[in-house]
């Protein structure tokens, strides 16, 4: 074989390897010539756009992608004229016969070995999920602000009326104070969950470990939730060994864990239902179970219920933001423990928190 043909064989093999890499990447890649006619359209580009390679090659890129920037600031035109790449812009492309899809796009010029411009390439990814999450997040934040606002307006208004109580009879101030306290406690719960959530996001969830009397913490929570359960027609019970071991934990955060599990158990129970807290211990762990016989969780939703902002379909009618269980998981895992869930729709749910009695070395 002559040197020239060996070089040519090597070049072809390099090229086919490049195409293999381009087709395997989970990234849509579209190359165009200087007139913006498509010269390469990889498998992911076909998947996202719904156009086959055959339908796309040779056509004007704007006709195929129908991108949100095609008619005004076509990124390909810009990189060709400026000869500078454009990195991570968010735009849209239109699926064949369908909807606009949000994409994140990188665009660059293509040059031959002598540095002459021979076209351009754009690589993009479907970011529909990211956009949907962003929308959900901002919806929740506005719902949160809305709920804070209505509670605050109520508190403010009642405060003003209380200041003028002389002309009211004796019963009214008491009623007002009851409403004030209820609204304030609702706000406190909301704000605390959001504070914990932002600490989670910024990695600032610092736990303070101390000797913690788990039975005392659970009993106190039980005393708070028992009247609430009774008012909802639900029987709340607490069963634990005569005396539980003292564990190394952040007591305040643990209360938050069990408060969230308990308020969910009550929220998703029916009148006449039962919620049971049971505590057991093994050699190295304490297991706290919160069991209800409420509406249960769809098996398809189970893998996601600890995700931040995830709310079950049946949860739509109840108050909440889908933050509570994400906080439960983060706090329990911060203790070196784990939380498991078992549930059957229509029959109820069981959440079990496993906590090590002694913090393992190296854990903060
Ligand atoms: P929220 O209760 O504010 O919706 P959570 O993060 O506490 O948020 O819970 C996430 C979802 O998990 C709920 O929306 C609900 O669908 C489901 N869930 C949690 N606890 C229970 C329970 N005890 N019974 C039924 N569904 C539950």
């Amino acid at each position: 074989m002559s040197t020239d043909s060996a070089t040519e064989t090597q070049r072809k093999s390099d090229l086919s390897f490049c195409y293999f890499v381009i087709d395997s990447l989970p990234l849509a890649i579209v190359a165009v010539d200087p007139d913006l006619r498509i010269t390469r359209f990889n498998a992911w580009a076909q998947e996202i756009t719904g156009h086959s390679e055959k339908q796309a090659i040779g056509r004007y890129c704007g006709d195929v992608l129908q991108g949100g920037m095609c008619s005004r600031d076509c990124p390909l035109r810009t990189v060709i004229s400026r000869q500078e790449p454009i990195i991570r812009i968010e735009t849209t492309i239109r699926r064949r016969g369908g909807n606009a899809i949000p994409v994140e796009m990188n665009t660059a010029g293509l040059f031959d070995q002598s540095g002459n411009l021979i076209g351009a390439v754009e690589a993009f990814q479907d970011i529909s999920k990211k956009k949907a999450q962003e929308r959900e997040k901002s919806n929740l934040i506005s719902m949160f602000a809305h709920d804070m606002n209505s509670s605050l307006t109520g508190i403010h208004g009642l405060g003003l009326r209380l200041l003028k109580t002389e002309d009211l009879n004796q019963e009214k101030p008491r009623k007002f104070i009851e409403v004030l306290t209820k609204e304030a406690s609702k706000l406190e719960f909301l704000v605390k969950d959001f504070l914990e959530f932002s600490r989670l996001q910024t990695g600032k969830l610092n736990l303070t470990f101390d000797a913690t009397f788990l039975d005392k913490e659970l009993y106190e929570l039980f005393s708070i939730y028992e009247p609430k359960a009774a008012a909802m027609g639900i029987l709340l019970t607490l069963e634990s060994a005569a005396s539980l071991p003292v564990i190394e934990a952040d007591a305040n955060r643990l209360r938050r864990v069990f408060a969230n599990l308990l308020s969910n158990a009550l929220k998703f129970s029916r009148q006449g239902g039962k919620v049971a807290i049971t505590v057991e211990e093994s050699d190295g762990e304490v297991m706290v179970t919160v069991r209800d016989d409420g509406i249960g969780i769809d098996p398809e939703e189970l893998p996601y219920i600890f995700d931040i902002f995830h709310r079950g379909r049946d949860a739509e009618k109840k108050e909440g933001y889908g933050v509570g269980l994400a906080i439960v998981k983060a706090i329990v895992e911060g203790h070196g423990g784990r939380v498991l869930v078992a549930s059957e729709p229509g029959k109820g749910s069981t959440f079990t928190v496993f906590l090590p009695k002694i913090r393992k070395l190296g854990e903060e």
Side-chain angles (χ1 to χ4, degrees):
M1 198 189 276
S2 73
T3 325
D4 277 358
S5 69
T7 317
E8 183 55 20
T9 314
Q10 181 61 42
R11 201 186 68 81
K12 279 189 180 155
S13 130
D14 288 351
L15 206 61
S16 74
F17 180 68
C18 278
Y19 287 151
F20 166 70
V21 171
I22 285 174
D23 281 338
S24 308
L25 277 174
L27 195 63
I29 294 180
V30 178
V32 294
D33 65 15
D35 296 324
L36 305 187
R37 305 236 159 237
I38 296 176
T39 54
R40 184 111 203 125
F41 204 70
N42 81 342
W44 277 83
Q46 297 172 52
E47 170 85 24
I48 296 184
T49 61
H51 290 275
S52 68
E53 189 178 21
K54 212 166 142 211
Q55 286 163 336
I57 298 284
R59 285 177 64 197
Y60 167 57
C61 162
D63 287 344
V64 176
L65 297 184
Q66 298 188 31
M69 295 172 78
C70 282
S71 50
R72 358 169 226 122
D73 303 314
C74 167
L76 286 171
R77 264 188 232 287
T78 314
V79 291
I80 287 175
S81 66
R82 288 206 210 134
Q83 305 207 356
E84 264 176 28
I86 302 179
I87 295 168
R88 288 171 76 166
I89 41 167
E90 285 189 8
T91 178
T92 56
I93 55 135
R94 186 167 293 280
R95 197 174 158 75
R96 189 172 180 223
N99 301 333
I101 302 169
V103 291
E104 187 176 87
M105 191 176 270
N106 291 298
T107 315
L110 288 174
F111 302 90
D112 67 11
Q113 280 169 336
S114 325
N116 301 316
L117 183 89
I118 52 167
V121 60
E122 51 192 15
F124 51 88
Q125 259 173 319
D126 181 346
I127 52 166
S128 313
K129 272 202 187 131
K130 182 178 146 201
K131 288 279 153 198
Q133 275 169 354
E134 280 174 12
R135 270 199 309 277
E136 206 172 324
K137 204 161 152 183
S138 74
N139 281 347
L140 276 156
I141 290 169
S142 63
M143 262 163 64
F144 172 67
H146 171 267
D147 284 7
M148 286 248 293
N149 188 42
S150 40
S151 283
L152 280 173
T153 313
I155 291 171
H156 186 205
L158 286 174
L160 290 175
R161 289 184 72 176
L162 269 176
L163 289 174
K164 302 183 198 153
T165 45
E166 292 129 63
D167 37 65
L168 295 171
N169 66 36
Q170 285 302 304
E171 264 171 54
K172 282 216 167 144
R174 194 178 163 76
K175 189 109 206 105
F176 287 170
I177 290 169
E178 275 169 21
V179 179
L180 273 180
T181 319
K182 201 171 139 216
E183 289 295 310
S185 105
K186 214 165 98 185
L187 262 185
E188 209 183 313
F189 211 86
L190 266 179
V191 173
K192 276 197 179 130
D193 259 354
F194 264 76
L195 278 178
E196 291 288 67
F197 168 60
S198 67
R199 286 188 193 117
L200 267 177
Q201 285 219 311
T202 51
K204 288 188 190 141
L205 187 78
N206 295 325
L207 301 174
T208 316
F209 287 87
D210 258 318
T212 301
F213 294 82
L214 200 54
D215 42 7
K216 172 180 154 276
E217 300 298 337
L218 287 172
Y219 187 73
E220 277 177 20
L221 270 179
F222 171 75
S223 321
I224 296 170
Y225 278 87
E226 207 269 330
K228 289 189 190 182
M232 295 166 79
I234 296 165
L235 177 69
L236 178 65
T237 57
L238 169 66
E239 268 173 49
S240 81
S243 110
L244 285 170
V246 177
I247 62 167
E248 266 192 280
D250 182 327
N252 285 331
R253 263 30 184 282
L254 278 193
R255 282 172 80 99
R256 185 112 215 105
V257 164
F258 299 118
N260 282 355
L261 292 179
L262 274 175
S263 57
N264 275 349
L266 296 182
K267 185 160 74 174
F268 297 110
S269 281
R270 292 168 281 233
Q271 209 182 8
K274 287 187 191 132
V275 173
I277 314 166
T278 49
V279 196
E280 288 167 83
E281 63 172 306
S282 68
D283 279 352
E285 284 182 322
V286 182
M287 283 93 76
V288 183
T289 302
V290 178
R291 177 177 294 118
D292 65 68
D293 57 2
I295 63 169
I297 304 164
D298 206 318
E300 282 170 20
E301 297 204 8
L302 272 182
Y304 309 106
I305 59 163
F306 292 100
D307 290 355
I308 194 90
F309 294 142
H310 179 85
R311 303 209 70 214
R313 256 170 280 140
D314 293 327
E316 301 295 318
K317 299 157 218 145
K318 313 267 178 184
E319 271 188 4
Y321 298 92
V323 179
L325 286 183
I327 288 169
V328 165
K329 186 165 183 275
I331 297 177
V332 171
E333 289 179 355
H335 279 78
R338 62 200 189 282
V339 51
L340 300 182
V341 56
S343 185
E344 215 180 312
K347 298 225 165 123
S349 311
T350 304
F351 287 83
T352 308
V353 173
F354 296 79
L355 291 168
K357 291 180 188 168
I358 297 169
R359 192 157 41 124
K360 287 174 208 128
L361 274 177
E363 278 169 7
E364 271 307 307

